[in-house]
Amino acid sequence: MKVITYPSVAATHAPALLKELNCQRERGQFCDCVIRVQFNPGKLYLAHKNVLAASSPVLASLLSNQGALLDLQIPSITPETLGHLLEFIYTGALPPPDLDESVCSAAAYLEMEELQQALNCRLDSPPGLAVDMEAGKKFVWQMKWK
């Protein structure tokens, strides 16, 4: 007898939802949080509290004690680093490899375990293993033989 099984989850739902949240963030739509960093207090970053809180227990704690303005006075978080943190939170995209250490340091402070693991994998990869960025922010691993 042949048993037919059906998927219990729509595999495209979560990525589509995150993509729409990122589009809303980029448009400033439904954002309920403004982030400011100490290195450039004039530059403000819009975000959604629930998305930030879900990505970091430290951010969740900070957001539960503050209003709409999240003032990050953390030395390891520069405007460039924050941009990459938000990009990862909303899209899953990793920063360029030359920024791995600074972004990993900020991710460690914010207890963003998934980002730390991804960056540590890249930092710990053998010297012959290279990462090439392709269109669509896909990573293709290939061995370089010399």
Side-chain angles (χ1 to χ4, degrees):
M1 170 159 90
K2 186 175 182 180
V3 176
I4 299 173
T5 59
Y6 297 97
S8 60
V9 175
T12 59
H13 175 69
L17 181 64
L18 203 54
K19 182 178 180 180
E20 180 56 29
L21 284 168
N22 189 47
C23 288
Q24 289 176 2
R25 175 183 68 98
E26 290 172 344
R27 292 189 305 261
Q29 188 177 24
F30 305 119
C31 294
D32 55 358
C33 179
V34 178
I35 306 170
R36 180 171 59 191
V37 294
Q38 76 181 49
F39 290 107
N40 189 354
K43 179 143 175 68
L44 303 175
Y45 299 83
L46 298 174
H48 303 92
K49 286 183 181 182
N50 57 348
V51 175
L52 297 176
S55 68
S56 161
V58 173
L59 291 176
S61 177
L62 291 171
L63 289 165
S64 67
N65 298 321
Q66 295 188 2
L69 177 63
L70 178 58
D71 209 358
L72 292 178
Q73 300 295 317
I74 303 166
S76 63
I77 300 183
T78 65
E80 181 179 31
T81 303
L82 179 59
H84 289 295
L85 291 172
L86 289 171
E87 186 70 17
F88 176 78
I89 289 168
Y90 279 89
T91 69
L94 296 176
D98 61 320
L99 297 175
D100 280 359
E101 288 185 34
S102 62
V103 174
C104 195
S105 172
Y109 185 89
L110 295 172
E111 298 176 18
M112 297 174 65
E113 292 182 17
E114 188 178 4
L115 177 55
Q116 289 178 74
Q117 289 171 358
L119 294 175
N120 285 331
C121 268
R122 219 162 60 172
L123 287 168
D124 295 340
S125 64
L129 200 56
V131 181
D132 292 329
M133 294 231 322
E134 297 293 328
K137 296 182 180 177
K138 292 181 182 173
F139 290 95
V140 178
W141 296 87
Q142 64 183 18
M143 293 299 295
K144 287 190 176 181
W145 301 98
K146 289 195 177 198

